[in-house]
Amino acid sequence: MRLFRTLRTAQPSFSTVDGSVSLTAPRSWRELTPEQLHYVLWLLASFDNHTVVKTYMFCRFTGVHVVSRDRFGWKCYVRTSWRRRHYFTMQAWQVESFLAQLGFVDSYEDMGVRLEDVCGLHAVDTLLHGVVFVDYLNAEKYYQAYMLRHDDRFLKKLALILYRRRNGHLAHRIRLDRAEALGVVLWFSYVKAEMSRAFPHFFRKVDAGTAGDYDMLEAMNTQIRALTDGDVTKEQTVLNIDCWRALTELDQKAREAAEFKRKYGK
């Protein structure tokens, strides 16, 4: 029962006038507690049907127990204490309305949260502020490799960049459960979406016909050369600057190149 009390959003309240029940559940990723976030990630990793995921979320977060279905709807109850129960009926439109409130789980692009601790390791900044450029490049490399091959080795390497010891140093190993593994993928996907919005000139969409020809190593070397202007003595300095500072400069260079091409052609 400890898990239930932790995951439930708030104690249901009742009206003695009309017998109505007030239920509360999160409306966004950011409203989830760490325990709730882990539970949602576990559901998403376990069920392909998001309606099933939302139904489990609704029951767990509100404390609703479904007893049976009749011609009026679903007969349910919530606990008012360990021994007492409050029974009520929910109609189909009410259930649909509540599940719609949980629709935020259908997209990661506005996620904005991640599991803070995994296997005793602590997460870096949600948007990777403070992460050096070389670590960002490696994270992107492992993410692309995992999305292409679905090999858990690459996912663990990505996780070891995103989760670190308390002193900020990289760990050597990490063990992820299914919720944590999905959390790593969704977190970095969210970061990529945010960076694409922040640096639109640098993160241009790749044509579907050429996406298969994308060479990650060549792209990384191109980014490093762009920042060092070909001066190898600057390479170590560039690799160790904040990734957002590096991407800001790359976005500016991409904007200037696009402007030059627009004015003078190839």
Side-chain angles (χ1 to χ4, degrees), residues 94-113:
Q94 293 173 311
V95 176
E96 291 172 0
S97 177
F98 234 114
L99 296 189
Q101 175 180 313
L102 302 172
F104 63 86
V105 299
D106 293 330
S107 173
Y108 63 82
E109 291 199 357
D110 295 315
M111 195 172 180
V113 293

Side-chain angles (χ1 to χ4, degrees), residues 45-60:
S46 302
F47 302 101
D48 293 329
N49 189 323
H50 278 204
T51 299
V52 174
V53 171
K54 295 169 195 173
T55 301
Y56 273 107
M57 289 171 61
F58 166 67
C59 292
R60 184 58 63 92

